Short mmCIF file of all heavy atoms in Angstrom, two decimals:
data_model
loop_
_atom_site.label_atom_id
_atom_site.label_comp_id
_atom_site.label_asym_id
_atom_site.label_seq_id
_atom_site.Cartn_x
_atom_site.Cartn_y
_atom_site.Cartn_z
N ARG L 191 119.04 87.71 125.78
CA ARG L 191 120.44 88.14 126.04
C ARG L 191 120.59 89.68 125.84
O ARG L 191 121.31 90.39 126.54
CB ARG L 191 121.35 87.51 125.03
CG ARG L 191 121.50 85.99 125.33
CD ARG L 191 122.67 85.33 124.63
NE ARG L 191 122.66 83.88 124.79
CZ ARG L 191 123.73 83.14 124.43
NH1 ARG L 191 124.80 83.66 123.94
NH2 ARG L 191 123.66 81.85 124.68
N PHE L 192 119.73 90.28 124.90
CA PHE L 192 119.79 91.70 124.64
C PHE L 192 119.33 92.34 125.99
O PHE L 192 120.01 93.35 126.46
CB PHE L 192 118.85 92.02 123.48
CG PHE L 192 118.82 93.55 123.18
CD1 PHE L 192 119.90 94.13 122.58
CD2 PHE L 192 117.72 94.28 123.51
CE1 PHE L 192 119.93 95.51 122.24
CE2 PHE L 192 117.64 95.63 123.20
CZ PHE L 192 118.71 96.22 122.61
N VAL L 193 118.23 91.98 126.55
CA VAL L 193 117.74 92.50 127.76
C VAL L 193 118.61 92.31 128.91
O VAL L 193 118.94 93.19 129.68
CB VAL L 193 116.28 91.94 128.04
CG1 VAL L 193 115.80 92.39 129.48
CG2 VAL L 193 115.37 92.36 127.01
N LYS L 194 119.25 91.08 128.98
CA LYS L 194 120.20 90.84 130.03
C LYS L 194 121.42 91.76 129.91
O LYS L 194 122.02 92.18 130.94
CB LYS L 194 120.57 89.31 129.96
CG LYS L 194 121.30 88.87 131.27
CD LYS L 194 121.49 87.30 131.43
CE LYS L 194 121.21 86.45 130.30
NZ LYS L 194 122.14 85.33 130.25
N GLY L 195 121.81 91.97 128.67
CA GLY L 195 122.96 92.88 128.39
C GLY L 195 122.76 94.22 129.07
O GLY L 195 123.79 94.77 129.69
N PHE L 196 121.54 94.79 128.88
CA PHE L 196 121.33 96.06 129.51
C PHE L 196 121.12 96.11 130.98
O PHE L 196 121.47 96.99 131.72
CB PHE L 196 120.13 96.81 128.76
CG PHE L 196 120.50 97.42 127.52
CD1 PHE L 196 120.53 96.67 126.28
CD2 PHE L 196 121.00 98.76 127.51
CE1 PHE L 196 120.93 97.34 125.08
CE2 PHE L 196 121.34 99.38 126.38
CZ PHE L 196 121.37 98.69 125.12
N ASP L 197 120.58 94.94 131.48
CA ASP L 197 120.45 94.78 132.92
C ASP L 197 121.78 94.71 133.63
O ASP L 197 121.92 95.28 134.64
CB ASP L 197 119.62 93.50 133.20
CG ASP L 197 118.09 93.59 132.90
OD1 ASP L 197 117.61 94.78 132.73
OD2 ASP L 197 117.42 92.53 132.80
N SER L 198 122.65 94.06 132.95
CA SER L 198 123.95 93.82 133.59
C SER L 198 124.88 94.95 133.30
O SER L 198 126.04 95.00 133.85
CB SER L 198 124.52 92.50 133.11
OG SER L 198 124.80 92.56 131.64
N GLY L 199 124.65 95.83 132.35
CA GLY L 199 125.53 96.87 132.00
C GLY L 199 126.55 96.47 130.95
O GLY L 199 127.43 97.26 130.58
N ASN L 200 126.54 95.29 130.44
CA ASN L 200 127.39 94.90 129.40
C ASN L 200 127.07 95.56 128.06
O ASN L 200 127.99 95.79 127.23
CB ASN L 200 127.28 93.38 129.13
CG ASN L 200 128.06 92.61 130.17
OD1 ASN L 200 129.23 92.90 130.52
ND2 ASN L 200 127.47 91.52 130.72
N CYS L 201 125.84 95.91 127.87
CA CYS L 201 125.44 96.70 126.71
C CYS L 201 124.96 98.06 127.24
O CYS L 201 124.25 98.22 128.28
CB CYS L 201 124.28 96.03 126.03
SG CYS L 201 124.60 94.46 125.30
N THR L 202 125.33 99.06 126.47
CA THR L 202 124.91 100.52 126.89
C THR L 202 124.39 101.22 125.60
O THR L 202 124.68 100.78 124.54
CB THR L 202 126.09 101.27 127.51
OG1 THR L 202 127.13 101.42 126.50
CG2 THR L 202 126.65 100.60 128.80
N HIS L 203 123.88 102.34 125.90
CA HIS L 203 123.43 103.29 124.83
C HIS L 203 124.69 104.06 124.44
O HIS L 203 124.86 105.26 124.84
CB HIS L 203 122.26 104.16 125.28
CG HIS L 203 121.77 105.12 124.20
ND1 HIS L 203 122.48 106.25 123.82
CD2 HIS L 203 120.82 105.02 123.33
CE1 HIS L 203 121.78 106.88 122.80
NE2 HIS L 203 120.77 106.09 122.44
N PHE L 204 125.65 103.50 123.72
CA PHE L 204 126.83 104.17 123.36
C PHE L 204 126.73 104.96 122.13
O PHE L 204 127.75 105.65 121.71
CB PHE L 204 127.96 103.17 123.37
CG PHE L 204 128.04 102.29 122.15
CD1 PHE L 204 128.77 102.59 120.96
CD2 PHE L 204 127.19 101.18 122.11
CE1 PHE L 204 128.75 101.72 119.93
CE2 PHE L 204 127.19 100.36 120.89
CZ PHE L 204 127.96 100.66 119.81
N SER L 205 125.75 104.77 121.35
CA SER L 205 125.61 105.39 120.02
C SER L 205 124.04 105.60 119.73
O SER L 205 123.20 104.87 120.26
CB SER L 205 126.17 104.56 118.93
OG SER L 205 125.81 105.00 117.69
N THR L 206 123.74 106.53 118.89
CA THR L 206 122.32 106.69 118.49
C THR L 206 122.01 105.93 117.21
O THR L 206 120.88 105.90 116.77
CB THR L 206 122.01 108.21 118.21
OG1 THR L 206 122.96 108.70 117.25
CG2 THR L 206 122.13 109.00 119.48
N LEU L 207 123.12 105.38 116.61
CA LEU L 207 122.87 104.54 115.38
C LEU L 207 122.30 103.18 115.78
O LEU L 207 122.99 102.26 116.17
CB LEU L 207 124.13 104.34 114.60
CG LEU L 207 124.76 105.70 114.05
CD1 LEU L 207 126.06 105.39 113.35
CD2 LEU L 207 123.79 106.29 113.04
N GLU L 208 120.95 103.11 115.77
CA GLU L 208 120.21 101.96 116.31
C GLU L 208 120.71 100.58 115.80
O GLU L 208 120.93 99.72 116.61
CB GLU L 208 118.72 102.16 116.04
CG GLU L 208 117.82 100.88 116.10
CD GLU L 208 117.37 100.48 114.70
OE1 GLU L 208 117.26 101.44 113.77
OE2 GLU L 208 117.07 99.29 114.52
N ASP L 209 120.81 100.45 114.52
CA ASP L 209 121.18 99.06 113.98
C ASP L 209 122.67 98.74 114.36
O ASP L 209 122.92 97.57 114.77
CB ASP L 209 120.89 99.00 112.55
CG ASP L 209 121.46 100.13 111.68
OD1 ASP L 209 122.12 101.02 112.21
OD2 ASP L 209 121.08 100.19 110.47
N MET L 210 123.52 99.66 114.25
CA MET L 210 124.93 99.38 114.52
C MET L 210 125.09 99.08 116.00
O MET L 210 125.79 98.18 116.39
CB MET L 210 125.75 100.63 113.96
CG MET L 210 127.23 100.36 114.10
SD MET L 210 127.93 100.75 115.75
CE MET L 210 127.89 102.58 115.65
N ALA L 211 124.42 99.93 116.83
CA ALA L 211 124.62 99.75 118.29
C ALA L 211 123.99 98.41 118.71
O ALA L 211 124.55 97.74 119.59
CB ALA L 211 123.95 100.95 118.97
N LEU L 212 122.88 98.06 118.15
CA LEU L 212 122.24 96.78 118.55
C LEU L 212 123.20 95.62 118.16
O LEU L 212 123.36 94.64 118.80
CB LEU L 212 120.91 96.59 117.95
CG LEU L 212 120.11 95.36 118.32
CD1 LEU L 212 118.73 95.65 118.76
CD2 LEU L 212 120.13 94.33 117.21
N GLY L 213 123.86 95.81 116.99
CA GLY L 213 124.79 94.80 116.54
C GLY L 213 125.91 94.61 117.43
O GLY L 213 126.38 93.49 117.64
N LYS L 214 126.39 95.69 118.04
CA LYS L 214 127.44 95.62 119.05
C LYS L 214 127.05 94.86 120.27
O LYS L 214 127.74 94.00 120.73
CB LYS L 214 127.87 97.00 119.47
CG LYS L 214 128.98 97.09 120.44
CD LYS L 214 130.31 96.71 119.76
CE LYS L 214 131.41 96.51 120.92
NZ LYS L 214 132.50 95.79 120.44
N CYS L 215 125.83 95.10 120.66
CA CYS L 215 125.28 94.41 121.89
C CYS L 215 125.16 92.92 121.53
O CYS L 215 125.45 92.06 122.34
CB CYS L 215 123.92 94.93 122.34
SG CYS L 215 123.21 94.23 123.73
N MET L 216 124.75 92.63 120.39
CA MET L 216 124.57 91.11 119.90
C MET L 216 125.93 90.52 120.00
O MET L 216 126.11 89.33 120.47
CB MET L 216 124.04 91.13 118.45
CG MET L 216 122.60 91.58 118.33
SD MET L 216 121.36 90.50 118.95
CE MET L 216 120.90 91.26 120.50
N GLU L 217 126.90 91.22 119.53
CA GLU L 217 128.32 90.64 119.52
C GLU L 217 128.77 90.46 120.98
O GLU L 217 129.32 89.38 121.31
CB GLU L 217 129.25 91.64 118.85
CG GLU L 217 130.64 91.00 118.66
CD GLU L 217 131.51 92.01 117.84
OE1 GLU L 217 132.03 92.91 118.42
OE2 GLU L 217 131.78 91.69 116.63
N THR L 218 128.58 91.45 121.80
CA THR L 218 128.97 91.32 123.21
C THR L 218 128.30 90.15 123.94
O THR L 218 128.87 89.43 124.73
CB THR L 218 128.57 92.68 123.98
OG1 THR L 218 129.15 93.75 123.27
CG2 THR L 218 129.06 92.63 125.34
N MET L 219 127.02 89.96 123.61
CA MET L 219 126.23 88.89 124.25
C MET L 219 126.28 87.56 123.58
O MET L 219 125.50 86.65 123.80
CB MET L 219 124.75 89.37 124.42
CG MET L 219 124.58 90.66 125.14
SD MET L 219 125.43 90.62 126.76
CE MET L 219 124.45 89.43 127.61
N LYS L 220 127.25 87.49 122.54
CA LYS L 220 127.51 86.27 121.79
C LYS L 220 126.27 85.79 121.03
O LYS L 220 125.95 84.54 121.10
CB LYS L 220 128.04 85.17 122.70
CG LYS L 220 129.31 85.58 123.38
CD LYS L 220 130.22 84.43 123.67
CE LYS L 220 131.58 84.83 124.27
NZ LYS L 220 131.98 86.15 124.17
N VAL L 221 125.49 86.70 120.44
CA VAL L 221 124.41 86.28 119.57
C VAL L 221 124.98 86.26 118.18
O VAL L 221 125.62 87.24 117.70
CB VAL L 221 123.20 87.32 119.63
CG1 VAL L 221 122.18 86.97 118.64
CG2 VAL L 221 122.61 87.32 121.07
N GLU L 222 124.74 85.19 117.42
CA GLU L 222 125.22 85.01 116.05
C GLU L 222 124.54 85.64 115.02
O GLU L 222 123.30 85.48 114.98
CB GLU L 222 125.37 83.46 115.80
CG GLU L 222 126.20 82.70 116.80
CD GLU L 222 127.37 82.03 116.12
OE1 GLU L 222 127.74 82.28 115.01
OE2 GLU L 222 127.91 81.06 116.81
N PRO L 223 125.20 86.33 114.06
CA PRO L 223 124.43 86.76 112.88
C PRO L 223 124.22 85.65 111.92
O PRO L 223 125.18 84.99 111.52
CB PRO L 223 125.39 87.82 112.34
CG PRO L 223 126.73 87.55 112.87
CD PRO L 223 126.59 86.64 114.04
N ALA L 224 123.03 85.31 111.63
CA ALA L 224 122.76 84.21 110.69
C ALA L 224 122.66 84.69 109.18
O ALA L 224 122.44 85.87 108.97
CB ALA L 224 121.42 83.56 111.03
N ASP L 225 122.79 83.76 108.25
CA ASP L 225 122.74 84.08 106.85
C ASP L 225 121.30 83.94 106.42
O ASP L 225 120.73 82.94 106.35
CB ASP L 225 123.73 83.11 106.10
CG ASP L 225 123.74 83.40 104.61
OD1 ASP L 225 123.09 84.37 104.13
OD2 ASP L 225 124.49 82.73 103.95
N SER L 226 120.72 85.11 106.04
CA SER L 226 119.36 85.18 105.62
C SER L 226 119.02 84.84 104.10
O SER L 226 117.93 84.85 103.72
CB SER L 226 118.72 86.50 106.01
OG SER L 226 119.44 87.54 105.31
N ARG L 227 120.18 84.66 103.35
CA ARG L 227 119.97 84.45 101.96
C ARG L 227 119.32 83.12 101.64
O ARG L 227 119.41 82.21 102.52
CB ARG L 227 121.32 84.53 101.25
CG ARG L 227 122.00 85.87 101.33
CD ARG L 227 123.40 85.95 100.79
NE ARG L 227 124.28 84.98 101.39
CZ ARG L 227 125.41 84.62 100.95
NH1 ARG L 227 125.89 85.17 99.81
NH2 ARG L 227 126.16 83.73 101.63
N ASP L 228 118.71 82.92 100.53
CA ASP L 228 118.07 81.70 100.14
C ASP L 228 119.09 80.69 99.63
O ASP L 228 120.29 80.96 99.68
CB ASP L 228 116.95 81.88 99.11
CG ASP L 228 117.47 82.26 97.74
OD1 ASP L 228 118.67 82.15 97.46
OD2 ASP L 228 116.60 82.70 96.83
N VAL L 229 118.61 79.47 99.33
CA VAL L 229 119.52 78.47 98.96
C VAL L 229 120.41 78.71 97.69
O VAL L 229 121.42 78.11 97.47
CB VAL L 229 118.86 76.99 98.80
CG1 VAL L 229 118.36 76.50 100.06
CG2 VAL L 229 117.80 77.10 97.75
N LYS L 230 120.02 79.71 96.92
CA LYS L 230 120.83 80.12 95.76
C LYS L 230 121.66 81.28 96.12
O LYS L 230 122.28 81.93 95.21
CB LYS L 230 119.93 80.45 94.58
CG LYS L 230 119.19 79.27 93.98
CD LYS L 230 118.52 79.59 92.69
CE LYS L 230 118.90 78.66 91.62
NZ LYS L 230 118.46 79.02 90.27
N GLY L 231 121.79 81.66 97.42
CA GLY L 231 122.57 82.79 97.76
C GLY L 231 121.99 84.09 97.44
O GLY L 231 122.73 85.19 97.49
N ARG L 232 120.73 84.24 97.25
CA ARG L 232 120.07 85.56 96.91
C ARG L 232 119.48 86.16 98.11
O ARG L 232 119.02 85.43 99.04
CB ARG L 232 118.96 85.29 95.86
CG ARG L 232 119.62 84.67 94.56
CD ARG L 232 118.60 84.42 93.46
NE ARG L 232 117.53 83.57 93.98
CZ ARG L 232 116.65 82.92 93.16
NH1 ARG L 232 116.77 83.15 91.82
NH2 ARG L 232 115.74 82.25 93.68
N GLN L 233 119.60 87.43 98.17
CA GLN L 233 119.15 88.26 99.40
C GLN L 233 117.64 88.23 99.60
O GLN L 233 116.88 88.29 98.62
CB GLN L 233 119.62 89.67 99.22
CG GLN L 233 121.21 89.86 99.32
CD GLN L 233 121.72 89.81 100.71
OE1 GLN L 233 121.02 89.50 101.72
NE2 GLN L 233 123.00 90.22 100.78
N THR L 234 117.29 88.30 100.87
CA THR L 234 115.80 88.32 101.24
C THR L 234 115.48 89.63 101.86
O THR L 234 114.38 90.16 101.65
CB THR L 234 115.40 87.17 102.11
OG1 THR L 234 116.31 87.19 103.25
CG2 THR L 234 115.55 85.83 101.41
N PHE L 235 116.41 90.23 102.70
CA PHE L 235 116.20 91.53 103.23
C PHE L 235 116.78 92.62 102.41
O PHE L 235 117.92 92.50 101.94
CB PHE L 235 116.78 91.60 104.68
CG PHE L 235 116.16 90.71 105.74
CD1 PHE L 235 116.44 89.37 105.82
CD2 PHE L 235 115.28 91.29 106.67
CE1 PHE L 235 115.82 88.59 106.82
CE2 PHE L 235 114.68 90.52 107.62
CZ PHE L 235 114.92 89.14 107.77
N HIS L 236 116.05 93.70 102.26
CA HIS L 236 116.55 94.78 101.35
C HIS L 236 116.40 96.17 101.94
O HIS L 236 115.27 96.54 102.25
CB HIS L 236 115.87 94.72 100.02
CG HIS L 236 115.96 93.41 99.33
ND1 HIS L 236 117.07 92.99 98.61
CD2 HIS L 236 115.11 92.34 99.31
CE1 HIS L 236 116.92 91.79 98.16
NE2 HIS L 236 115.75 91.30 98.54
N PRO L 237 117.46 96.93 102.19
CA PRO L 237 117.39 98.25 102.82
C PRO L 237 116.84 99.38 101.90
O PRO L 237 116.63 100.39 102.38
CB PRO L 237 118.82 98.57 103.25
CG PRO L 237 119.60 97.33 102.95
CD PRO L 237 118.85 96.53 102.00
N TYR L 238 116.62 98.99 100.59
CA TYR L 238 116.15 100.06 99.58
C TYR L 238 115.03 99.43 98.78
O TYR L 238 114.81 98.20 98.87
CB TYR L 238 117.31 100.49 98.75
CG TYR L 238 118.29 101.33 99.53
CD1 TYR L 238 119.38 100.79 100.04
CD2 TYR L 238 118.01 102.71 99.74
CE1 TYR L 238 120.30 101.50 100.87
CE2 TYR L 238 118.85 103.45 100.48
CZ TYR L 238 120.04 102.85 101.05
OH TYR L 238 120.93 103.63 101.78
#
Side-chain angles (χ1 to χ4, degrees):
Chain L
R191 292 193 187 193
F192 181 74
V193 172
K194 197 165 10 144
F196 277 90
D197 287 344
S198 63
N200 281 317
C201 295
T202 61
H203 183 280
F204 74 97
S205 165
T206 58
L207 296 176
E208 161 248 335
D209 47 9
M210 189 271 289
L212 185 130
K214 180 73 190 160
C215 182
M216 294 287 101
E217 185 178 75
T218 306
M219 302 308 291
K220 302 212 180 339
V221 174
E222 302 236 16
D225 185 355
S226 57
R227 295 176 301 168
D228 71 9
V229 290
K230 289 189 130 189
R232 301 177 304 195
Q233 294 277 9
T234 53
F235 288 83
H236 304 277
Y238 291 95

